[in-house]
Amino acid sequence: DESELLTVPDGWKEPAFTREDNPRGLLEESSFATLFPKYREAYLKECWPLVQKALGEHYVNATLDLIEGSMTVTTTKKTFDPYAIIRARDLIKLLARSVPFEQAVRILQDDVACDIIKIGSLVRKRDTFIKRRGRLLGPKGSTLKALELLTNCYIMVQGNTVSALGPFSGLKEEKKVVLDTMKNIHPIYNIKTLMIKRELSKDPELRSQSWERFLPKFKRKNLKKRKEPKKKNTKKEYTPFPPPQPESQIDKELASGEYFLKERQKKRKRMEEIKAKQADALKKRQEERNKAFIPPKEKPVVKTKKASTEKKIDIEAIKEKVKNAKKKKLGALPVEEVKLKMAADEKKKKKK
């Protein structure tokens, strides 16, 4: 079955390279050297005995030159592994790029590789480069830590390079994230994709299937249109002929006939032009001064309409209204009844 041939069994490891595989050793001596910055001198001086001990197990010599600021690794007659010198070269490169010895020494293992990505030349502006490099680190290094957990790699961002150390598959993913970040793609998008891939790889049924339907597709948002400049520079139509030669002062004088005038006449003409200009300027100045003495336009007065008192008053109608009002008063008797009551009261008094 093809699916069984393509998959690697779990827990399988390639056998280690031993002296029995190459009993006669190497024919030629190989060596590699790399420079290191001044600030790494103190650290390398401390950990160099450990570096020599680690490389001594693979029969590779290491020398530290503090005067020139370089590290050199060379093979010996006892070296049997031809790839040991390549690993030793990577070790001194990582140490030069500020990777601690505890992590850098892992490169001597068979299943560990390293990658040093140069990011300094990927962005033109220095400020933009610093911002994008900071985006790769994240707040308090949280983005870098998440990337390390997903790729199983140790990542070190230092200056214009990113050093990574780990398995081959992790290095491939890590390089893609770093390059995308420098191309202004936020690392959180790639981190989300890696998290989904990690979960999908746990399912044995989905191993042979395509994962495109599960992975998120991030679309780029269209930015707002750039504001049009006030002054538009329009290109003129291309003509193979040169522009016409501008007229000289003599040509202008010949056209106007001034060239044939005498010097005294020319001077008089110039004085007349100057006086005319001065007169125009004086006139404009006088108009500007007179503006202050021009009274402003007043608003027209709106006449209020008086209440018309010419209406005829009907006195008789008012009298009737008053009479009716008196009659309607509560508790008030009519006039005739009042008279009769008064007469009855007088009779009673006389009888007594």
Side-chain angles (χ1 to χ4, degrees):
D1 191 9
E2 285 183 7
S3 61
E4 288 180 8
L5 291 169
L6 292 169
T7 54
V8 178
D10 293 331
W12 181 85
K13 267 191 176 184
E14 195 176 342
F17 193 85
T18 57
R19 185 172 283 279
E20 292 171 4
D21 297 319
N22 186 16
R24 293 182 182 182
L26 307 175
L27 295 171
E28 294 290 332
E29 187 182 288
S30 303
S31 65
F32 289 100
T34 186
L35 299 170
F36 61 86
K38 187 74 176 173
Y39 60 84
R40 290 291 289 168
E41 190 177 314
Y43 180 78
L44 290 171
K45 210 173 179 181
E46 283 181 21
C47 72
W48 199 249
L50 296 170
V51 174
Q52 285 178 325
K53 189 184 176 184
L55 291 173
E57 291 174 5
H58 296 270
Y59 304 102
V60 176
N61 285 338
T63 52
L64 178 69
D65 193 345
L66 296 173
I67 297 162
E68 288 184 5
S70 66
M71 293 180 282
T72 313
V73 286
T74 53
T75 57
T76 60
K77 288 179 180 179
K78 290 183 179 180
T79 310
F80 61 89
D81 188 359
Y83 201 72
I85 189 67
I86 303 296
R87 288 188 184 133
R89 179 202 64 183
D90 292 340
L91 174 64
I92 58 173
K93 273 189 180 179
L94 291 168
L95 289 169
R97 295 313 310 152
S98 297
V99 177
F101 171 74
E102 290 78 15
Q103 292 291 341
V105 78
R106 286 170 54 209
I107 196 67
L108 300 173
Q109 297 172 16
D110 287 338
D111 56 344
V112 178
C114 76
D115 190 10
I116 296 168
I117 307 157
K118 292 177 182 178
I119 57 172
S121 59
L122 296 175
V123 184
R124 286 183 183 178
K125 291 182 181 178
R126 185 70 185 168
D127 296 339
T128 313
F129 168 72
I130 291 161
K131 280 181 185 176
R132 289 180 188 177
R133 188 179 63 182
R135 198 182 288 169
L136 187 65
L137 293 166
K140 296 179 182 178
S142 57
T143 307
L144 197 68
K145 190 70 183 171
L147 202 60
E148 283 181 349
L149 291 168
L150 289 165
T151 57
N152 297 323
C153 293
Y154 173 81
I155 304 164
M156 182 75 189
V157 181
Q158 176 70 19
N160 293 336
T161 57
V162 177
S163 308
L165 189 79
F168 291 98
S169 58
L171 289 174
K172 188 181 174 184
E173 297 289 348
E174 177 268 339
K175 189 172 184 177
K176 185 181 177 294
V177 175
V178 171
L179 294 175
D180 283 353
T181 306
M182 288 294 128
K183 288 174 186 173
N184 202 21
I185 298 166
H186 204 280
I188 194 68
Y189 299 131
N190 286 312
I191 285 168
K192 279 184 179 179
T193 309
L194 287 171
M195 286 171 76
I196 293 162
K197 281 181 179 178
R198 194 178 184 181
E199 293 299 316
L200 291 169
S201 63
K202 291 176 183 177
D203 193 352
E205 292 179 4
L206 294 168
R207 277 184 183 179
S208 58
Q209 294 179 16
S210 178
W211 291 351
E212 282 185 14
R213 56 198 171 123
F214 302 108
L215 299 175
K217 291 174 183 177
F218 302 104
K219 291 180 181 179
R220 285 190 178 185
K221 292 179 181 178
N222 292 328
L223 297 170
K224 289 180 181 178
K225 288 181 180 178
R226 190 172 68 85
K227 290 180 181 178
E228 292 182 357
K230 288 180 181 178
K231 292 180 181 178
K232 287 184 177 179
N233 297 326
T234 52
K235 287 185 177 180
K236 293 177 182 177
E237 289 182 6
Y238 172 74
T239 53
F241 307 104
Q245 198 169 355
E247 289 184 347
S248 64
Q249 191 67 28
I250 295 164
D251 292 337
K252 287 175 184 176
E253 286 177 3
L254 284 166
S256 62
E258 194 182 337
Y259 183 78
F260 303 102
L261 296 173
K262 291 178 182 179
E263 194 65 36
R264 197 183 293 169
Q265 289 173 328
K266 285 180 183 179
K267 196 177 278 186
R268 197 186 300 151
K269 195 178 180 182
R270 280 192 216 112
M271 287 301 292
E272 283 174 5
E273 285 175 0
I274 290 161
K275 281 178 182 178
K277 281 181 182 178
Q278 285 176 350
D280 289 339
L282 188 69
K283 193 180 178 182
K284 284 179 183 177
R285 211 179 298 128
Q286 200 65 38
E287 284 175 2
E288 287 292 325
R289 285 177 183 173
N290 291 338
K291 277 181 184 178
F293 300 103
I294 297 165
K297 289 182 180 180
E298 293 181 1
K299 291 178 181 178
V301 180
V302 181
K303 291 180 180 179
T304 54
K305 291 180 180 179
K306 292 180 181 179
S308 60
T309 55
E310 294 176 1
K311 287 182 180 179
K312 292 179 181 179
I313 300 164
D314 196 356
I315 297 164
E316 291 180 2
I318 293 165
K319 282 180 179 179
E320 283 180 8
K321 279 182 182 180
V322 172
K323 279 181 183 180
N324 291 332
K326 282 180 179 179
K327 285 177 183 178
K328 286 179 181 178
K329 279 182 182 178
L330 294 169
L333 296 167
V335 181
E336 292 175 359
E337 286 182 10
V338 172
K339 285 178 180 179
L340 290 168
K341 202 173 184 181
M342 287 174 71
D345 289 339
E346 286 177 1
K347 283 179 182 179
K348 282 180 182 179
K349 284 178 183 179
K350 284 177 181 179
K351 283 179 182 180
K352 287 178 179 179

